[in-house]
């Protein structure tokens, strides 16, 4: 297990590696679909290239193994491991939208202790160790203050009404519908990393993430917690590796979002198949 006192050094090393990869990330914007991963999911050659490059440098410089989205690696639920998403928001990136980034987290026994979200196409970097502060472009940010949902913008994950899975399309729509009645504005960026990083920075009041992939969620959870926010799953249990969803928000806003999620029960979704 990595000593807590070593986290600042590891954060600095990881930041240098992502800084060095950012130029290639920018240059590859618009990379076409290359590897089919599912009906609505794909990777580009840049995903593969960046994962190989960042994984190699992290392993060499820190001695800690990496689990990446594209090539896998050791399990993230026990021990110490880096979790890497070389391009979060691949569809955005391939289309040329700037809402895409590199996500990296250090996880210890299922808990994220370092988080890094690099958004090279908009020139923003977010990084933090478990106890904070949140660093926004290297500058410590103010801790999040309690807020109200009525005053907040909330980022939500994309959805297909006919999709099945852990959070089926009809439930996602029900959540979005109820949120829309109480929130100031909803935003759908198509990037979990963007939603969670901007929640940590206080730009968004919260984020609702329907996906469960740890490489999408771990970095942002670390950032939100370091900034003084709250990150749980939809049941209100603290987020960790294995959680099936994320609710991340400033204090106060988080409780209001959880109330909405609890109100959207399966009985309201009659006829929806559950996984």
């Amino acid at each position: 297990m990595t000593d807590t006192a070593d986290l600042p050094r590891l954060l600095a090393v990881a930041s240098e590696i992502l800084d060095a990869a950012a130029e290639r990330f920018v240059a590859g914007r618009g990379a076409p679909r290359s590897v089919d991963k599912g009906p609505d999911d794909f990777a580009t050659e840049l995903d593969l290239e960046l994962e190989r490059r960042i994984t190699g440098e992290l392993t060499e410089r820190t001695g800690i193994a990496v689990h990446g989205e594209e090539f896998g690696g050791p399990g993230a639920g026990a021990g110490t491991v880096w979790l890497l998403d070389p391009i979060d928001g691949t569809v955005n990136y391939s289309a040329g939208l700037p809402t895409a980034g590199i996500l990296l987290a250090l996880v210890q026994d299922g808990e994220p202790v370092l988080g890094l979200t690099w958004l090279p196409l908009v020139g923003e970097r977010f990084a933090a160790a478990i106890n904070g502060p949140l660093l926004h472009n290297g500058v410590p940010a103010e801790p999040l203050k309690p807020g109200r949902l009525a005053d907040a913008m909330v980022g939500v994950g994309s959805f297909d009404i006919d999709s099945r899975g852990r959070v089926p399309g009809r439930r996602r729509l029900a959540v979005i519908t109820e949120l829309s009645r109480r929130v100031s504005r909803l935003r759908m960026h198509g990037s979990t990393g963007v939603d969670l990083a901007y929640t940590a920075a206080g730009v968004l009041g919260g984020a609702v993430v329907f996906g469960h992939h740890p490489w999408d969620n771990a970095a942002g959870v670390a950032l939100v917690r370091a900034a003084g926010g709250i990150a749980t799953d939809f049941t209100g249990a603290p987020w960790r590796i294995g959680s099936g969803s994320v609710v991340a928000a400033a204090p106060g806003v988080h409780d209001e979002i959880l109330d909405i999620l609890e109100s959207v029960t399966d009985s309201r979704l009659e006829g929806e198949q559950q996984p």
Side-chain angles (χ1 to χ4, degrees):
M1 177 176 289
T2 300
D3 193 308
T4 303
D6 201 33
L7 292 180
R9 181 188 69 83
L10 291 172
L11 187 65
V13 170
S15 297
E16 290 176 5
I17 291 171
L18 295 193
D19 279 345
E23 182 177 356
R24 182 70 181 111
F25 186 100
V26 172
R29 179 180 184 176
R33 183 181 190 125
S34 176
V35 180
D36 287 324
K37 298 165 65 175
D40 299 308
D41 193 15
F42 65 89
T44 71
E45 285 297 330
L46 261 293
D47 288 86
L48 309 182
E49 176 187 327
L50 288 171
E51 184 165 320
R52 291 190 190 98
R53 171 179 173 170
I54 294 170
T55 294
E57 293 180 5
L58 281 169
T59 303
E60 179 180 352
R61 295 185 62 181
T62 71
I64 299 171
V66 180
H67 184 114
E69 177 180 3
E70 308 305 334
F71 296 111
T80 302
V81 63
W82 293 106
L83 277 177
L84 170 64
D85 186 345
I87 303 180
D88 176 60
T90 301
V91 174
N92 292 352
Y93 182 78
S94 184
L97 289 172
T99 44
I102 307 171
L103 310 182
L104 180 64
L106 184 66
V107 177
Q108 290 189 333
D109 295 327
E111 299 286 346
V113 295
L114 292 179
L116 301 94
T117 296
W118 257 231
L119 307 177
L121 298 177
V122 295
E124 292 195 274
R125 299 172 295 134
F126 303 86
I130 187 170
N131 294 319
L134 172 71
L135 301 175
H136 183 191
N137 291 339
V139 179
E142 291 291 326
L144 293 174
K145 297 178 181 179
R148 301 187 314 142
L149 188 58
D151 300 325
M153 288 195 297
V154 171
V156 295
S158 57
F159 77 102
D160 173 352
I161 191 64
D162 294 323
S163 68
R164 306 284 177 169
R166 292 170 181 251
V167 186
R170 290 188 180 276
R171 188 174 188 204
R172 296 186 187 203
L173 179 60
V175 170
I176 291 169
T177 299
E178 291 304 311
L179 275 171
S180 72
R181 293 187 170 116
R182 292 176 52 181
V183 73
S184 173
R185 292 288 189 277
L186 289 176
R187 294 290 181 262
M188 190 177 291
H189 298 109
S191 164
T192 297
V194 166
D195 285 344
L196 292 175
Y198 283 138
T199 295
V203 177
L204 297 175
V208 176
V209 179
F210 300 117
H212 67 281
H213 295 304
W215 51 80
D216 288 331
N217 298 334
V221 165
L223 296 177
V224 169
R225 289 175 174 169
I230 303 168
T232 69
D233 65 14
F234 282 9
T235 71
W239 189 92
R240 59 175 288 112
I241 300 300
S243 295
S245 53
V246 184
V247 182
V253 176
H254 183 272
D255 287 345
E256 291 190 66
I257 295 176
L258 274 187
D259 287 344
I260 289 172
L261 290 168
E262 290 173 3
S263 76
V264 181
T265 62
D266 289 346
S267 64
R268 297 182 58 190
L269 306 174
E270 187 175 351
E272 181 67 56
Q273 295 286 331
Q274 297 300 315

